[in-house]
PDB file of all heavy atoms in Angstrom:
ATOM      1  N   ASP A 469      73.310  83.050  85.598  1.00 85.00           N
ATOM      2  CA  ASP A 469      72.666  82.175  86.573  1.00 85.00           C
ATOM      3  C   ASP A 469      72.522  80.740  86.080  1.00 85.00           C
ATOM      4  O   ASP A 469      72.798  79.790  86.821  1.00 85.00           O
ATOM      5  CB  ASP A 469      71.282  82.725  86.940  1.00 85.00           C
ATOM      6  CG  ASP A 469      71.374  83.974  87.804  1.00 85.00           C
ATOM      7  OD1 ASP A 469      72.423  84.154  88.455  1.00 85.00           O
ATOM      8  OD2 ASP A 469      70.423  84.764  87.810  1.00 85.00           O
ATOM      9  N   LEU A 470      72.109  80.569  84.836  1.00 81.00           N
ATOM     10  CA  LEU A 470      71.863  79.224  84.320  1.00 81.00           C
ATOM     11  C   LEU A 470      73.127  78.375  84.309  1.00 81.00           C
ATOM     12  O   LEU A 470      73.072  77.156  84.469  1.00 81.00           O
ATOM     13  CB  LEU A 470      71.272  79.303  82.908  1.00 81.00           C
ATOM     14  CG  LEU A 470      70.814  77.972  82.295  1.00 81.00           C
ATOM     15  CD1 LEU A 470      69.683  77.362  83.121  1.00 81.00           C
ATOM     16  CD2 LEU A 470      70.353  78.163  80.842  1.00 81.00           C
ATOM     17  N   LEU A 471      74.278  79.040  84.152  1.00 78.00           N
ATOM     18  CA  LEU A 471      75.551  78.322  84.144  1.00 78.00           C
ATOM     19  C   LEU A 471      76.231  78.358  85.505  1.00 78.00           C
ATOM     20  O   LEU A 471      77.389  77.951  85.630  1.00 78.00           O
ATOM     21  CB  LEU A 471      76.485  78.923  83.085  1.00 78.00           C
ATOM     22  CG  LEU A 471      75.938  78.970  81.648  1.00 78.00           C
ATOM     23  CD1 LEU A 471      76.969  79.588  80.721  1.00 78.00           C
ATOM     24  CD2 LEU A 471      75.546  77.575  81.174  1.00 78.00           C
ATOM     25  N   SER A 472      75.521  78.854  86.514  1.00 85.00           N
ATOM     26  CA  SER A 472      76.047  78.951  87.890  1.00 85.00           C
ATOM     27  C   SER A 472      77.340  79.761  87.947  1.00 85.00           C
ATOM     28  O   SER A 472      78.274  79.438  88.681  1.00 85.00           O
ATOM     29  CB  SER A 472      76.287  77.543  88.468  1.00 85.00           C
ATOM     30  OG  SER A 472      75.073  76.823  88.530  1.00 85.00           O
ATOM     31  N   VAL A 473      77.372  80.840  87.139  1.00 87.00           N
ATOM     32  CA  VAL A 473      78.535  81.724  87.113  1.00 87.00           C
ATOM     33  C   VAL A 473      78.199  83.005  87.871  1.00 87.00           C
ATOM     34  O   VAL A 473      77.206  83.662  87.576  1.00 87.00           O
ATOM     35  CB  VAL A 473      78.942  82.072  85.661  1.00 87.00           C
ATOM     36  CG1 VAL A 473      80.064  83.101  85.661  1.00 87.00           C
ATOM     37  CG2 VAL A 473      79.352  80.818  84.911  1.00 87.00           C
ATOM     38  N   ASN A 474      78.998  83.327  88.862  1.00 93.00           N
ATOM     39  CA  ASN A 474      78.881  84.593  89.584  1.00 93.00           C
ATOM     40  C   ASN A 474      80.261  84.905  90.155  1.00 93.00           C
ATOM     41  O   ASN A 474      80.570  84.580  91.293  1.00 93.00           O
ATOM     42  CB  ASN A 474      77.832  84.518  90.689  1.00 93.00           C
ATOM     43  CG  ASN A 474      77.546  85.880  91.311  1.00 93.00           C
ATOM     44  OD1 ASN A 474      78.163  86.885  90.952  1.00 93.00           O
ATOM     45  ND2 ASN A 474      76.628  85.931  92.256  1.00 93.00           N
ATOM     46  N   GLU A 475      81.102  85.520  89.332  1.00 94.00           N
ATOM     47  CA  GLU A 475      82.493  85.745  89.716  1.00 94.00           C
ATOM     48  C   GLU A 475      82.825  87.230  89.706  1.00 94.00           C
ATOM     49  O   GLU A 475      82.362  87.977  88.849  1.00 94.00           O
ATOM     50  CB  GLU A 475      83.450  85.002  88.770  1.00 94.00           C
ATOM     51  CG  GLU A 475      83.367  85.438  87.319  1.00 94.00           C
ATOM     52  CD  GLU A 475      84.366  84.717  86.431  1.00 94.00           C
ATOM     53  OE1 GLU A 475      84.644  83.540  86.713  1.00 94.00           O
ATOM     54  OE2 GLU A 475      84.838  85.332  85.461  1.00 94.00           O
ATOM     55  N   THR A 476      83.612  87.638  90.690  1.00 95.00           N
ATOM     56  CA  THR A 476      84.041  89.019  90.813  1.00 95.00           C
ATOM     57  C   THR A 476      85.555  89.077  90.917  1.00 95.00           C
ATOM     58  O   THR A 476      86.149  88.359  91.723  1.00 95.00           O
ATOM     59  CB  THR A 476      83.411  89.697  92.039  1.00 95.00           C
ATOM     60  OG1 THR A 476      81.979  89.690  91.907  1.00 95.00           O
ATOM     61  CG2 THR A 476      83.881  91.132  92.165  1.00 95.00           C
ATOM     62  N   ILE A 477      86.155  89.935  90.108  1.00 95.00           N
ATOM     63  CA  ILE A 477      87.598  90.173  90.161  1.00 95.00           C
ATOM     64  C   ILE A 477      87.814  91.612  90.600  1.00 95.00           C
ATOM     65  O   ILE A 477      87.219  92.537  90.045  1.00 95.00           O
ATOM     66  CB  ILE A 477      88.257  89.927  88.790  1.00 95.00           C
ATOM     67  CG1 ILE A 477      88.078  88.467  88.370  1.00 95.00           C
ATOM     68  CG2 ILE A 477      89.746  90.277  88.838  1.00 95.00           C
ATOM     69  CD1 ILE A 477      88.556  88.171  86.957  1.00 95.00           C
ATOM     70  N   MET A 478      88.672  91.813  91.614  1.00 97.00           N
ATOM     71  CA  MET A 478      88.989  93.144  92.115  1.00 97.00           C
ATOM     72  C   MET A 478      90.488  93.378  92.019  1.00 97.00           C
ATOM     73  O   MET A 478      91.285  92.469  92.297  1.00 97.00           O
ATOM     74  CB  MET A 478      88.546  93.306  93.571  1.00 97.00           C
ATOM     75  CG  MET A 478      87.069  93.062  93.808  1.00 97.00           C
ATOM     76  SD  MET A 478      86.537  93.536  95.471  1.00 97.00           S
ATOM     77  CE  MET A 478      87.559  92.455  96.485  1.00 97.00           C
ATOM     78  N   GLU A 479      90.866  94.606  91.632  1.00 97.00           N
ATOM     79  CA  GLU A 479      92.284  94.926  91.468  1.00 97.00           C
ATOM     80  C   GLU A 479      92.590  96.309  92.032  1.00 97.00           C
ATOM     81  O   GLU A 479      91.848  97.258  91.794  1.00 97.00           O
ATOM     82  CB  GLU A 479      92.672  94.875  89.984  1.00 97.00           C
ATOM     83  CG  GLU A 479      92.571  93.477  89.388  1.00 97.00           C
ATOM     84  CD  GLU A 479      92.699  93.509  87.876  1.00 97.00           C
ATOM     85  OE1 GLU A 479      91.703  93.835  87.202  1.00 97.00           O
ATOM     86  OE2 GLU A 479      93.798  93.217  87.384  1.00 97.00           O
ATOM     87  N   SER A 480      93.690  96.394  92.764  1.00 96.00           N
ATOM     88  CA  SER A 480      94.129  97.633  93.396  1.00 96.00           C
ATOM     89  C   SER A 480      95.438  98.093  92.764  1.00 96.00           C
ATOM     90  O   SER A 480      96.391  97.311  92.620  1.00 96.00           O
ATOM     91  CB  SER A 480      94.323  97.406  94.906  1.00 96.00           C
ATOM     92  OG  SER A 480      94.780  98.572  95.537  1.00 96.00           O
ATOM     93  N   PHE A 481      95.496  99.360  92.388  1.00 93.00           N
ATOM     94  CA  PHE A 481      96.644  99.932  91.678  1.00 93.00           C
ATOM     95  C   PHE A 481      97.904  99.921  92.531  1.00 93.00           C
ATOM     96  O   PHE A 481      97.874 100.196  93.726  1.00 93.00           O
ATOM     97  CB  PHE A 481      96.296 101.371  91.284  1.00 93.00           C
ATOM     98  CG  PHE A 481      97.378 102.116  90.571  1.00 93.00           C
ATOM     99  CD1 PHE A 481      97.938 101.624  89.406  1.00 93.00           C
ATOM    100  CD2 PHE A 481      97.819 103.340  91.053  1.00 93.00           C
ATOM    101  CE1 PHE A 481      98.927 102.326  88.734  1.00 93.00           C
ATOM    102  CE2 PHE A 481      98.796 104.058  90.398  1.00 93.00           C
ATOM    103  CZ  PHE A 481      99.363 103.547  89.230  1.00 93.00           C
ATOM    104  N   LEU A 482      99.043  99.604  91.887  1.00 86.00           N
ATOM    105  CA  LEU A 482     100.351  99.644  92.524  1.00 86.00           C
ATOM    106  C   LEU A 482     101.121 100.819  91.931  1.00 86.00           C
ATOM    107  O   LEU A 482     101.621 100.736  90.807  1.00 86.00           O
ATOM    108  CB  LEU A 482     101.104  98.333  92.274  1.00 86.00           C
ATOM    109  CG  LEU A 482     100.426  97.073  92.814  1.00 86.00           C
ATOM    110  CD1 LEU A 482     101.106  95.816  92.274  1.00 86.00           C
ATOM    111  CD2 LEU A 482     100.427  97.068  94.338  1.00 86.00           C
ATOM    112  N   PRO A 483     101.209 101.957  92.638  1.00 80.00           N
ATOM    113  CA  PRO A 483     101.781 103.181  92.059  1.00 80.00           C
ATOM    114  C   PRO A 483     103.186 103.021  91.496  1.00 80.00           C
ATOM    115  O   PRO A 483     103.507 103.594  90.456  1.00 80.00           O
ATOM    116  CB  PRO A 483     101.762 104.168  93.235  1.00 80.00           C
ATOM    117  CG  PRO A 483     100.671 103.677  94.119  1.00 80.00           C
ATOM    118  CD  PRO A 483     100.715 102.182  94.004  1.00 80.00           C
ATOM    119  N   ASN A 484     104.058 102.254  92.169  1.00 69.00           N
ATOM    120  CA  ASN A 484     105.437 102.141  91.701  1.00 69.00           C
ATOM    121  C   ASN A 484     105.566 101.333  90.419  1.00 69.00           C
ATOM    122  O   ASN A 484     106.645 101.279  89.823  1.00 69.00           O
ATOM    123  CB  ASN A 484     106.325 101.512  92.777  1.00 69.00           C
ATOM    124  CG  ASN A 484     106.705 102.513  93.850  1.00 69.00           C
ATOM    125  OD1 ASN A 484     106.685 103.716  93.618  1.00 69.00           O
ATOM    126  ND2 ASN A 484     107.033 102.018  95.020  1.00 69.00           N
ATOM    127  N   SER A 485     104.481 100.700  89.986  1.00 65.00           N
ATOM    128  CA  SER A 485     104.557  99.919  88.750  1.00 65.00           C
ATOM    129  C   SER A 485     104.804 100.780  87.535  1.00 65.00           C
ATOM    130  O   SER A 485     105.265 100.303  86.497  1.00 65.00           O
ATOM    131  CB  SER A 485     103.258  99.128  88.545  1.00 65.00           C
ATOM    132  OG  SER A 485     102.161 100.010  88.368  1.00 65.00           O
ATOM    133  N   LEU A 486     104.517 102.089  87.640  1.00 66.00           N
ATOM    134  CA  LEU A 486     104.723 102.975  86.499  1.00 66.00           C
ATOM    135  C   LEU A 486     106.167 103.424  86.363  1.00 66.00           C
ATOM    136  O   LEU A 486     106.546 104.008  85.362  1.00 66.00           O
ATOM    137  CB  LEU A 486     103.822 104.214  86.625  1.00 66.00           C
ATOM    138  CG  LEU A 486     102.320 103.922  86.563  1.00 66.00           C
ATOM    139  CD1 LEU A 486     101.539 105.204  86.739  1.00 66.00           C
ATOM    140  CD2 LEU A 486     101.960 103.256  85.256  1.00 66.00           C
ATOM    141  N   GLY A 487     106.971 103.155  87.367  1.00 52.00           N
ATOM    142  CA  GLY A 487     108.375 103.551  87.287  1.00 52.00           C
ATOM    143  C   GLY A 487     108.587 104.946  87.851  1.00 52.00           C
ATOM    144  O   GLY A 487     107.751 105.829  87.736  1.00 52.00           O
TER     145      GLY A 487
END
Side-chain angles (χ1 to χ4, degrees):
D469 288 337
L470 187 63
L471 304 180
S472 298
V473 174
N474 189 358
E475 61 178 33
T476 299
I477 298 173
M478 302 190 299
E479 294 169 281
S480 178
F481 179 56
L482 299 169
N484 281 337
S485 64
L486 295 178

